[in-house]
Amino acid sequence: ISFYGRLNYSYAGKYLLTVNGRRDGSSKLNPDDRWIVYHSEALAWRISEENFMKNSKLFSDLKLRGGYGITGQQDGIGNYSYLARYNISNNAATYQLGNTFYNMYRPEAYNPFLKWEQTTSTNIALDFGLWNNRVTGSAEVYKKETKDLLNNVGVAAGANFAPEMLANVGLMVNKGI
């Protein structure tokens, strides 16, 4: 379940603000880590609307903008992956009693510490239009950092579980221009 809100504000058509808020809940995660709040903010200044730029023959559009935000995801987490469970075995793991073979119940790998994977994004950009927008473009610097990556990790041999299970591991950083 999710709750979402957004606010856009513009002052004099040249100062812009956007704020987003979101509260997400997932029954795939343990009750202590089930709910999380995400947010994002963005500011922009349309420089081309300033009096000192209105009569520019070079710049028809010029905007400086920046943003910051956090998002999350839970893809790949199965239902009840945080609970200890038993599943019936396949025919390769049966128990013989007399002439009858019985499927067994065996434990399934689980991780009670699973939580949301979170990505934080930051950017600063300059959008421009030249000569009555005959030439337009944008230059941007960004950084995107994902923590608590969801990935399968190996389980110790002899643990009587599957060879791997899902866990929050790792950090990934992307940045560039």
Side-chain angles (χ1 to χ4, degrees):
I1 190 168
S2 295
F3 302 97
Y4 177 80
R6 181 176 182 160
L7 170 73
N8 286 320
Y9 180 73
S10 173
Y11 180 75
K14 52 187 166 183
Y15 306 108
L16 311 167
L17 170 70
T18 300
V19 177
N20 295 296
R22 182 179 181 124
R23 180 163 166 82
D24 289 338
S26 173
S27 59
K28 292 182 174 186
L29 301 167
N30 74 65
D32 293 337
D33 294 312
R34 185 164 290 168
W35 288 94
I36 196 155
V37 175
Y38 295 112
H39 60 90
S40 66
E41 301 81 33
L43 291 169
W45 176 28
R46 191 169 293 282
I47 303 167
S48 56
E49 293 297 315
E50 294 289 351
N51 288 334
F52 65 86
M53 289 290 293
K54 288 247 183 199
N55 296 323
S56 173
K57 293 181 183 189
L58 175 64
F59 289 102
S60 44
D61 188 23
L62 189 61
K63 179 170 69 171
L64 179 64
R65 60 182 168 86
Y68 173 83
I70 303 172
T71 59
Q73 69 96 7
Q74 45 146 355
D75 292 342
I77 299 176
N79 294 329
Y80 311 110
S81 293
Y82 66 93
L83 293 173
R85 303 178 286 164
Y86 284 83
N87 281 335
I88 196 161
S89 67
N90 59 27
N91 289 335
T94 58
Y95 181 77
Q96 183 177 2
L97 187 60
N99 291 329
T100 307
F101 291 86
Y102 296 94
N103 290 80
M104 305 298 293
Y105 282 93
R106 59 183 177 188
E108 191 171 297
Y110 73 101
N111 183 349
F113 306 109
L114 286 174
K115 55 187 173 181
W116 293 89
E117 180 179 292
Q118 295 183 55
T119 300
T120 303
S121 299
T122 306
N123 72 310
I124 296 174
L126 184 67
D127 302 327
F128 59 90
L130 304 173
W131 303 293
N132 202 21
N133 284 338
R134 287 188 181 126
V135 176
T136 61
S138 183
E140 183 169 0
V141 176
Y142 71 92
K143 181 178 179 185
K144 189 174 181 182
E145 183 175 292
T146 303
K147 68 177 186 173
D148 297 324
L149 286 163
L150 290 165
N151 201 359
N152 286 318
V153 296
V155 175
N160 206 21
F161 293 138
E164 56 184 32
M165 69 176 189
L166 193 65
N168 294 98
V169 294
L171 173 74
M172 181 171 57
V173 177
N174 295 302
K175 54 187 171 182
I177 297 174

